[in-house]
Amino acid sequence: MNLQNEYLLGIYNKVAKKDSTEPEFLQAVGEVLESLEPIVERNPEMEKTGVIERMVEPERTIMFRVSWVDDNGNVQVNRGYRVQFNSAIGPYKGGCRFHPSVNLSVIKFLGFEQTFKNSLTGLPMGGGKGGSDFDPKGKSDNEIMRFCQSFMTELSKHIGADTDVPAGDIGVGAREIGYMFGQYKRLKNEFTGVLTGKGLTYGGSLARKEATGYGLCYFTNEMLKANNNSFEGKTVVISGSGNVAIYACEKAYELGAKVVAMSDSNGYIYDKDGIDLDLMKTIKEVERKRISEYAVRKPGAVYTEGCKGIWTIKCDIALPCATQNELDKDGAEALVKNGCILVAEGANMPSTPEAVNTFLSNGVLFGPAKAANAGGVATSGLEMSQNSMRYSWTFEEVDEKLKGIMKNIFAAAYNASKECGCEGNLVVGANVAGFLKVYDAMKWQGVAY
Ligand code: NDP
């Protein structure tokens, strides 16, 4: 981090002292504050409003016990979280993550980022995030159901269609959302759009499942178009093989590219002929097996243990779609060396700060997460609208709106980068464009005395 502005540095130092045990949160705050330097320098009156000091403190943090009974009759205890970060422009909105690596730092970084991402979509949604250190891997359906019900029993006291609308994230897909929605309805005796990512038979939106991956490719396409280029004929590497990765792969193919590698947390597969997406979907979505299975079934495909090696595969476009800090300086240098022209983030904060600097200083086009992966939450916003109207749009209608939103996000981030004197730096552009709307709303809503 390289903060020069005294006011912003003072804010960062206070957060670093108060939240010294939260490295992911500090990383996210540092990156945003650094981007804000040009506008704070130009608008010294911002300091008097105290808005930025308030933005780095969540409005509310909820931590709770989630106890449940496993299939052997043993009591298990996990920790649940919901961080309601910022409601200046709408009800809190953001997914829930179930993964053993979840802790307060991870949920706070995600909630903080979500605030700016949601602002960028142009829809009225505040920022929040939640989850648990529960590991869904290897659990039976009944165990997943019992955990989700216990998690929702507490969470239901803090959320609502006009208060806070959670959704999915790592480890939380349609199955988990279904169990949580069922429990909310049971407890509250009301059928409202309190969660997004719901099944299509009970209020879900068409194209929500595909939205983050598709949106990532629409955003990438805008980046390419601005540089007189396209997906056509490009070789693509995608990390992860979950919801975001699979639908990014689908859209990249539709736009004329070839995807040659994907991964999970154990390792990666390289298929020089191009990933067989139907096979991948069967293994990951239906059978819920490890990615190594792909190489067993697909002649010519190679599996390598360890996931970081995926960045050494030669490609034109890299789409990290797994998790935070999965792409470090070594990975970034390998991509640059192999002639990669564009990196766009499907996961949240997958590139370390050193990796981002490597891309920017080597002229690699770089699409940061809060802009590039905003298609998921944008479509969740569209699901909320449909629930409120008691009406459903067709797949094509939602997809068309998603395309328009991603185009607008690119334009907003690009224009902001230009106004800040660093044309094309979408890290600065996305942070500034997302920040300004939240700043204005907070300024006008005053401070509670
Ligand atoms: P899923 O749980 O569906 O998939 C996550 C994938 O990432 C799995 O393949 C998982 O493998 C892999 N993975 C997890 N940890 C690592 C690791 N350390 N190294 C390599 N691979 C890893 O999650 P999503 O696809 O929903 O989410 C992926 C990312 O996208 C997250 O950062 C999330 O916050 C972000 N995101 C998701 C949105 C959505 O709509 N779902 C919206 C916006 C952002 P394994 O099975 O081995 O764990």
Side-chain angles (χ1 to χ4, degrees):
M1 212 219 5
N2 184 25
L3 264 173
Q4 307 291 329
N5 180 280
E6 247 176 66
Y7 164 57
L8 292 173
L9 188 60
I11 293 177
Y12 180 82
N13 286 338
K14 267 193 200 151
V15 180
K17 198 166 163 202
K18 214 190 310 186
D19 301 324
S20 60
T21 56
E22 297 172 2
E24 292 86 359
F25 178 55
L26 291 177
Q27 185 181 334
V29 169
E31 190 228 88
V32 169
L33 294 184
E34 222 178 296
S35 298
L36 298 183
E37 278 190 317
I39 50 162
V40 168
E41 302 263 325
R42 229 182 291 156
N43 304 284
E45 73 281 1
M46 276 185 169
E47 193 172 335
K48 292 198 194 77
T49 63
V51 165
I52 304 177
E53 289 87 332
R54 286 183 275 153
M55 268 185 193
V56 296
E57 184 69 29
E59 287 175 22
R60 194 172 297 106
T61 299
I62 304 148
M63 282 169 67
F64 50 100
R65 179 177 68 205
V66 188
S67 46
W68 54 284
V69 180
D70 68 20
D71 287 347
N72 298 320
N74 297 320
V75 175
Q76 301 286 341
V77 180
N78 287 97
R79 185 170 290 172
Y81 301 86
R82 187 72 188 167
V83 174
Q84 299 180 328
F85 221 105
N86 194 305
S87 62
I89 65 168
Y92 310 106
K93 179 90 197 86
C96 284
R97 176 177 293 190
F98 294 166
H99 193 272
S101 63
V102 163
N103 56 36
L104 188 58
S105 173
V106 168
I107 299 297
K108 276 177 72 179
F109 116 67
L110 290 164
F112 179 70
E113 292 275 292
Q114 195 81 45
T115 303
F116 304 103
K117 181 190 306 194
N118 292 1
S119 163
L120 273 174
T121 65
L123 300 174
M125 300 181 289
K129 202 83 188 188
S132 173
D133 57 0
F134 171 74
D135 187 358
K137 254 185 238 135
K139 303 288 189 301
S140 70
D141 268 357
N142 273 329
E143 288 177 323
I144 300 277
M145 183 173 76
R146 287 196 292 272
F147 174 82
C148 288
Q149 290 176 342
S150 181
F151 182 78
M152 182 50 86
T153 299
E154 177 59 32
L155 189 67
S156 64
K157 297 170 188 157
H158 311 284
I159 61 175
D162 294 318
T163 311
D164 183 355
V165 183
D169 191 80
I170 292 181
V172 180
R175 174 179 60 167
E176 291 75 17
I177 294 287
Y179 292 145
M180 288 196 272
F181 182 75
Q183 183 70 351
Y184 185 87
K185 196 161 58 62
R186 237 168 256 128
L187 292 166
K188 298 277 183 174
N189 194 26
E190 57 184 41
F191 195 115
T192 56
V194 68
L195 291 162
T196 57
K198 298 185 290 298
L200 296 177
T201 51
Y202 56 94
S205 174
L206 286 158
R208 173 61 187 92
K209 182 176 68 174
E210 294 82 358
T212 309
Y214 278 23
L216 171 66
C217 289
Y218 294 146
F219 188 87
T220 302
N221 209 27
E222 292 301 312
M223 292 170 71
L224 289 163
K225 274 198 313 205
N227 287 275
N228 298 317
N229 213 332
S230 77
F231 261 108
E232 198 59 50
K234 299 288 186 300
T235 299
V236 179
V237 163
I238 300 178
S239 64
S241 47
N243 173 261
V244 179
I246 283 179
Y247 292 94
C249 178
E250 185 163 286
K251 186 53 72 177
Y253 270 126
E254 274 177 41
L255 294 171
K258 179 163 90 168
V259 180
V260 294
M262 289 177 83
S263 60
D264 64 17
S265 56
N266 291 109
Y268 66 93
I269 47 132
Y270 171 62
D271 187 342
K272 63 175 178 2
D273 301 324
I275 301 280
D276 176 342
L277 189 56
D278 286 339
L279 176 59
M280 183 62 77
K281 281 186 180 177
T282 303
I283 292 169
K284 296 308 272 190
E285 290 188 331
V286 182
E287 300 173 358
R288 296 179 187 270
K289 288 198 169 143
R290 309 309 299 155
I291 208 165
S292 51
E293 184 69 19
Y294 181 94
V296 174
R297 296 195 205 168
K298 176 82 194 293
V302 180
Y303 173 72
T304 307
E305 195 70 27
C307 38
K308 289 204 166 165
I310 194 169
W311 308 121
T312 61
I313 295 172
K314 189 172 165 53
C315 65
D316 304 304
I317 295 172
L319 304 176
C321 295
T323 194
Q324 65 269 9
N325 293 327
E326 54 162 316
L327 173 44
D328 58 17
K329 190 166 189 280
D330 290 346
E333 282 172 351
L335 285 168
V336 169
K337 189 168 143 248
N338 283 330
C340 176
I341 59 163
L342 187 151
V343 177
E345 299 183 320
N348 283 310
M349 207 168 74
S351 317
T352 63
E354 297 76 27
V356 176
N357 286 338
T358 304
F359 297 135
L360 296 178
S361 59
N362 283 282
V364 174
L365 302 174
F366 181 70
K370 59 174 79 65
N373 73 20
V377 73
T379 308
S380 277
L382 300 178
E383 183 172 329
M384 289 166 76
S385 302
Q386 293 170 83
N387 291 165
S388 299
M389 291 189 294
R390 307 242 186 275
Y391 186 73
S392 301
W393 291 316
T394 63
F395 188 98
E396 290 70 26
E397 282 172 313
V398 178
D399 193 33
E400 214 36 55
K401 288 182 205 303
L402 170 64
K403 237 181 250 174
I405 289 170
M406 298 316 293
K407 213 174 172 158
N408 290 344
I409 294 176
F410 175 76
Y414 195 88
N415 291 338
S417 75
K418 222 163 153 182
E419 278 159 31
C420 290
C422 50
E423 185 168 352
N425 182 334
L426 300 177
V427 176
V428 171
N431 282 335
V432 168
F435 163 81
L436 285 174
K437 184 174 168 189
V438 182
Y439 171 83
D440 193 69
M442 286 180 76
K443 191 178 82 179
W444 287 108
Q445 288 172 32
V447 189
Y449 285 95

